[in-house]
Amino acid sequence: MAPGTSACKEVVDSHPSVSGHDIAVSKSESNSNSNSNSNSASTKVLLGLGGKLGVYSTNGVQELLECPVCTNLMYPPIYQCPNGHTLCSNCKIRVSNCCPTCRHELGNIRCLALEKVAESLEIPCRYHSLGCLDIFPYYSKLKHEQHCRFRPYNCPYAGSECSVSGDIPSLVTHLKDDHKVDMHDGCTFNHRYVKSNPHEVENATWMLTVFNCFGRQFCLHFEAFQLGMAPVYMAFLRFMGDDNEAKKFSYSLEVGGNGRKLIWHGIPRGIRDSHRKVRDSQDGLIIQRNLALYFSGGERQELKLRITGRIWKEE
């Protein structure tokens, strides 16, 4: 759209959205605020995980920092039109330099006053409702949220672009009910993988099984894919949690036949790492197709692999 036109296209910003609990106000506080003078301010105190007391304001300053296009909090550079209407730098590009409020050409005017006001704010993590009680200076909030241990996990299911996210209990239920994943209790397993035409790996063969072990959940993946020009089979384990917790566990995988065997000993990766990232890093038991067919016996026309494994907790 050329500058000066009378309409601006609706856009979606790539910044993480700010949920309603970023600036949390209880029902009673909201009612009180609505009846009080518009210039009055209310505050709320939270006790952070590290014992820090954080005070953040709900006096309307946050609304001034919300971009009118994407509704996310704005971070420098914050731009304004000659009439004083503000928006974030991403949306300035997307609306073709046209103010979405008054349709005036934006130019390159920075709203330095609003950027300065933001420096004085302390607000809670967007994952406050999920358990994070820490409060951060305005400009430190985004960096924290990228690594917050309370942020939701993505669905670990492979073979589809599942967009579901949530905490571990909800994901376990989701895998069972929506993806029909097999659930097993115990720390040892013995699985057989059979494929009638093992020469077709263009469409990856994949399987996922979830194990309940030590009160936690582990995802066992098995699939066929191309490693360079070579077709291979791979088995690996992921821990339903973060890497720092995953390091408390180890696992082994064993596959073989005809008097031969391959053994893999590793540490499960947390599901913060995507299934594809773990697979492409080759962090697991890899079986070349010729060897897999040799293990399968017969006329090498059918894949019959038996993989045994064990999960244990490191002391």
Side-chain angles (χ1 to χ4, degrees):
M1 182 185 300
T5 55
S6 60
C8 295
K9 181 182 295 185
E10 183 179 356
V11 296
V12 179
D13 186 60
S14 60
H15 285 313
S17 62
V18 180
S19 58
H21 53 259
D22 273 346
I23 302 296
V25 185
S26 67
K27 184 175 181 181
S28 61
E29 288 174 319
S30 298
N31 293 337
S32 174
N33 288 344
S34 64
N35 296 327
S36 62
N37 184 281
S38 60
N39 293 325
S40 65
S42 63
T43 59
K44 188 172 183 177
V45 179
L46 293 181
L47 180 62
L49 295 180
K52 173 187 174 183
L53 283 176
V55 180
Y56 60 93
S57 171
T58 61
N59 61 2
V61 176
Q62 181 203 9
E63 294 180 4
L64 295 176
L65 287 163
E66 289 180 354
C67 174
V69 177
C70 64
T71 70
N72 293 327
L73 292 180
M74 296 185 289
Y75 293 85
I78 300 174
Y79 289 97
Q80 66 178 17
C81 76
N83 292 325
H85 304 125
T86 59
L87 80 167
C88 70
S89 57
N90 283 347
C91 289
K92 177 179 181 293
I93 297 173
R94 296 175 184 182
V95 299
S96 301
N97 208 36
C98 167
C99 176
T101 303
C102 66
R103 303 298 189 262
H104 198 286
E105 184 175 350
L106 284 168
N108 290 300
I109 306 172
R110 289 275 293 275
C111 188
L112 299 178
L114 195 56
E115 293 178 8
K116 192 69 176 178
V117 167
E119 292 181 2
S120 65
L121 294 182
E122 287 194 334
I123 53 181
C125 171
R126 66 182 299 199
Y127 305 121
H128 170 71
S129 67
L130 299 179
C132 183
L133 301 182
D134 282 343
I135 296 174
F136 301 90
Y138 187 82
Y139 292 134
S140 301
K141 179 174 176 287
L142 274 184
K143 183 177 180 180
H144 160 78
E145 289 171 351
Q146 292 173 355
H147 304 283
C148 178
R149 67 187 182 93
F150 292 98
R151 71 191 190 278
Y153 296 91
N154 294 324
C155 174
Y157 190 73
S160 69
E161 297 299 326
C162 184
S163 60
V164 171
S165 64
D167 59 16
I168 299 302
S170 66
L171 286 183
V172 171
T173 300
H174 164 69
L175 288 171
K176 180 180 179 181
D177 295 343
D178 298 331
H179 294 299
K180 310 303 180 184
V181 169
D182 289 335
M183 302 279 175
H184 295 278
D185 294 325
C187 299
T188 60
F189 46 89
N190 186 336
H191 279 269
R192 287 174 57 87
Y193 298 99
V194 179
K195 183 174 174 61
S196 59
N197 189 351
H199 298 282
E200 294 181 0
V201 294
E202 289 77 10
N203 297 319
T205 300
W206 48 263
M207 294 184 68
L208 172 63
T209 306
V210 173
F211 293 92
N212 298 302
C213 181
F214 298 106
R216 307 306 300 269
Q217 289 74 38
F218 299 81
C219 296
L220 175 64
H221 295 270
F222 177 83
E223 68 177 87
F225 67 103
Q226 294 282 152
L227 185 57
M229 298 299 293
V232 300
Y233 300 95
M234 183 174 178
F236 57 92
L237 199 72
R238 286 199 295 165
F239 172 75
M240 294 192 70
D242 289 331
D243 271 343
N244 59 338
E245 294 181 89
K247 292 175 182 177
K248 300 176 182 178
F249 302 91
S250 292
Y251 74 101
S252 64
L253 297 173
E254 181 178 312
V255 63
N258 286 331
R260 281 87 170 171
K261 68 172 61 175
L262 289 176
I263 299 175
W264 168 263
H265 180 185
I267 298 172
R269 298 273 282 271
I271 59 172
R272 296 287 187 203
D273 287 340
S274 69
H275 156 266
R276 182 175 293 274
K277 180 178 180 179
V278 179
R279 188 199 72 181
D280 291 348
S281 70
Q282 303 175 41
D283 190 5
L285 176 65
I286 297 177
I287 315 158
Q288 299 294 331
R289 185 171 67 185
N290 285 339
L291 187 57
L293 292 174
Y294 184 76
F295 288 160
S296 300
E299 299 298 324
R300 301 167 63 88
Q301 297 301 314
E302 185 177 37
L303 179 72
K304 293 181 179 179
L305 290 178
R306 186 170 69 96
I307 296 181
T308 60
R310 182 171 70 94
I311 306 168
W312 66 92
K313 194 170 184 178
E314 297 289 353
E315 297 298 333

